[in-house]
Amino acid sequence: MTIRVLLIHNYYQQAGGEDTVFQQEADLLREHGLAVETITFTNESFDGTALSKLGAATRSLYNTKSANRVKQAIDRFRPDVVHIHNLFYTATAAVIRAAKQRGVPVVMTVHNYRLVCVNGLLMREGKIPCETCLSQLVPLAGIRHACFRQSHLQSAQLSFITLLHKLTGIWRSVDRFVVLTDFARQKILSSSLRLSPSQVVVKPNFVPDVGYADPRQRQDYFLFIGRLSPEKGISTLLEAAQKKVFRLKIIGDGPLNEDVSRVAATLPHVEFTGWQDRSTVLEALKTCRALIVPSVWYEGLPTVILEAFATGTPIICSDQDNLNQIVVDGKTGLLFKTGNSDDLNRVIDRLSQQPEQLELYAQTSRQEYKRYSKEASYQAIIRLYNELNRVEPVGSYLL
């Protein structure tokens, strides 16, 4: 029997990785013959001032129009499972209740920590990472520090939304939460959501096979790809480049763009290209000596690391929690002390002096990629869907 899946996703105002994952998984399920229907929402009308407008505040808490859309789709499409990727801020938790009222199992992928952290990242200015609100029923610190959009009002609004749904138990009515790593699973289970271990499962994202690169064809430069922002550790990387000469290419854009450009202009061995198209990025990934990931926050499951695995690219990575489980020291790459530019230079030296290790790292990385392939992702999600259609739904809610 063909499994029927109703996928739900709420697009933020700015495109992000969650949007890509939602579309990739929809395509993947269709490729394997599953019947898939999607319902999408947008936040075009959400300007962050909902608290000052009673009607908008109510809709951001519980949107009956969103619930009705989902009920109508369920009555017509009759899915075996409803899979939610994001419900903030237009879809709301009303879509969960709609599915539960129709007796359909609900899966929700947790792409970030929004349910237990106002900014969703477990970090705030001057404190990276930050777990202050993780286990707090009422995340007062997130409001006090204006962690959402640097606004006390908007932080209070979002905190109230997640709090109310904790109190009513609607999060606990979700049959399965899907997280990307074992680290994320432990954080969610230790949080104020009070979920049972059986409710939280690990299923990594996948990336297409972009092709293995022959280690013998690699050039003598190191590569950074990503957003130029404080949590990505770009300052640690620039500090390392200022202390020691090694060829470095930086590809990316973000709030620290001008700072990176200014420093790079003073260092002949550093090339800053700014944003580049995907083909250029992949070519750089396939020809660099190693990818450097200096992040100082927990990260989720960075696509660039998965693509490095696919291409057999060695990785030099900070030993920050979560990252130190994704990149295995001495196997798929080398770890350095988070935020320590001297230790980063030590690891760069080590890799430069051991060219024979490049092929070993390349082969191990390519082997690791199998965990993040399309086929591995499909097998994991189909097992989950089949399991849910053999067991009783869990949890209860009061709304």
Side-chain angles (χ1 to χ4, degrees):
M1 182 182 71
T2 301
I3 294 179
R4 306 175 70 80
V5 184
L6 179 62
L7 293 177
I8 298 175
H9 182 56
N10 197 133
Y11 289 94
Y12 290 116
Q13 290 175 330
Q14 294 182 338
E18 296 179 27
D19 304 334
T20 301
V21 173
F22 163 71
Q23 190 58 58
Q24 283 182 336
E25 292 207 351
D27 293 342
L28 178 65
L29 296 175
R30 289 182 175 122
E31 287 173 13
H32 282 81
L34 275 69
V36 177
E37 184 163 315
T38 63
I39 298 179
T40 60
F41 301 88
T42 67
N43 289 331
E44 294 176 357
S45 61
F46 183 83
D47 63 2
T49 60
L51 275 182
S52 63
K53 303 174 183 178
L54 182 59
T58 302
R59 287 193 300 274
S60 65
L61 175 65
Y62 190 85
N63 195 327
T64 55
K65 289 185 178 179
S66 300
N68 288 335
R69 280 187 63 189
V70 171
K71 289 178 183 177
Q72 291 169 8
I74 290 174
D75 291 344
R76 174 178 45 78
F77 181 60
R78 303 216 173 260
D80 299 298
V81 62
V82 168
H83 191 154
I84 302 166
H85 278 269
N86 180 39
L87 48 71
F88 292 100
Y89 300 92
T90 302
T92 75
V95 300
I96 298 174
R97 182 175 184 237
K100 301 302 287 187
Q101 285 181 330
R102 292 299 194 264
V104 183
V106 175
V107 174
M108 183 171 172
T109 296
V110 179
H111 294 277
N112 53 46
Y113 297 98
R114 183 78 66 195
L115 300 184
V116 292
C117 171
V118 175
N119 67 22
L121 302 175
L122 290 183
M123 67 179 190
R124 62 177 167 85
E125 187 175 354
K127 197 175 190 308
I128 303 174
C130 173
E131 297 186 14
T132 305
C133 296
L134 180 64
S135 59
Q136 301 298 310
L137 184 64
V138 184
L140 294 177
I143 301 172
R144 184 169 64 252
H145 295 289
C147 290
F148 183 63
R149 296 184 177 178
Q150 297 182 317
S151 167
H152 294 94
L153 183 65
Q154 294 178 47
S155 298
Q157 177 198 359
L158 184 53
S159 296
F160 178 70
I161 291 172
T162 55
L163 168 63
L164 183 61
H165 292 319
K166 290 176 193 175
L167 294 176
T168 59
I170 200 166
W171 302 130
R172 292 195 300 276
S173 75
V174 174
D175 294 87
R176 296 293 185 275
F177 283 94
V178 174
V179 296
L180 307 183
T181 65
D182 289 321
F183 175 85
R185 181 174 185 270
Q186 292 306 315
K187 292 301 176 189
I188 290 297
L189 287 176
S190 65
S191 75
S192 58
L193 295 177
R194 300 175 184 173
L195 303 176
S196 68
S198 63
Q199 278 180 274
V200 187
V201 299
V202 178
K203 188 197 79 66
N205 293 333
F206 72 89
V207 294
D209 189 349
V210 293
Y212 179 74
D214 188 339
R216 295 168 295 183
Q217 302 302 314
R218 293 193 174 274
Q219 302 172 23
D220 186 23
Y221 73 91
F222 295 85
L223 178 66
F224 172 91
I225 302 171
R227 178 173 166 79
L228 306 180
S229 53
E231 71 275 8
K232 293 295 184 178
I234 189 67
S235 61
T236 302
L237 180 58
L238 292 176
E239 186 177 313
Q242 289 173 310
K243 293 179 178 179
K244 181 179 179 59
V245 175
F246 60 92
R247 288 187 60 200
L248 172 65
K249 180 181 289 187
I250 298 174
I251 299 177
D253 198 0
L256 298 183
N257 193 308
E258 291 185 6
D259 293 339
V260 175
S261 181
R262 183 174 60 254
V263 174
T266 68
L267 302 173
H269 56 286
V270 176
E271 177 187 0
F272 175 45
T273 68
W275 180 89
Q276 297 292 315
D277 61 43
R278 180 167 171 75
S279 61
T280 302
V281 170
L282 289 178
E283 178 62 24
L285 194 58
K286 290 181 178 181
T287 55
C288 69
R289 178 181 291 272
L291 173 73
I292 299 179
V293 182
S295 294
V296 297
W297 75 296
Y298 289 146
E299 289 280 3
L301 185 60
T303 298
V304 67
I305 289 182
L306 305 190
E307 290 180 335
F309 288 156
T311 56
T313 303
I315 302 170
I316 294 176
C317 184
S318 68
D319 66 354
Q320 181 61 276
D321 288 341
N322 194 39
L323 286 174
N324 59 18
Q325 296 180 18
I326 300 170
V327 178
V328 181
D329 191 39
K331 293 186 177 181
T332 53
L334 296 171
L335 301 182
F336 70 94
K337 296 177 182 177
T338 302
N340 190 321
S341 59
D342 291 328
D343 202 47
L344 172 55
N345 278 335
R346 178 189 64 80
V347 172
I348 289 173
D349 275 345
R350 178 180 170 186
L351 190 62
S352 298
Q353 294 167 7
Q354 297 177 328
E356 70 280 359
Q357 292 293 101
L358 289 177
E359 187 164 355
L360 174 62
Y361 293 145
Q363 293 173 353
T364 308
S365 293
R366 180 63 183 182
Q367 187 70 20
E368 184 70 6
Y369 167 67
K370 292 180 179 180
R371 295 180 55 197
Y372 307 103
S373 66
K374 290 177 66 175
E375 185 58 29
S377 184
Y378 172 72
Q379 292 299 331
I381 198 66
I382 201 65
R383 283 196 300 270
L384 175 58
Y385 291 166
N386 283 329
E387 175 187 343
L388 288 177
N389 279 280
R390 291 196 298 266
V391 299
E392 292 296 321
V394 304
S396 61
Y397 53 88
L398 305 179
L399 280 178

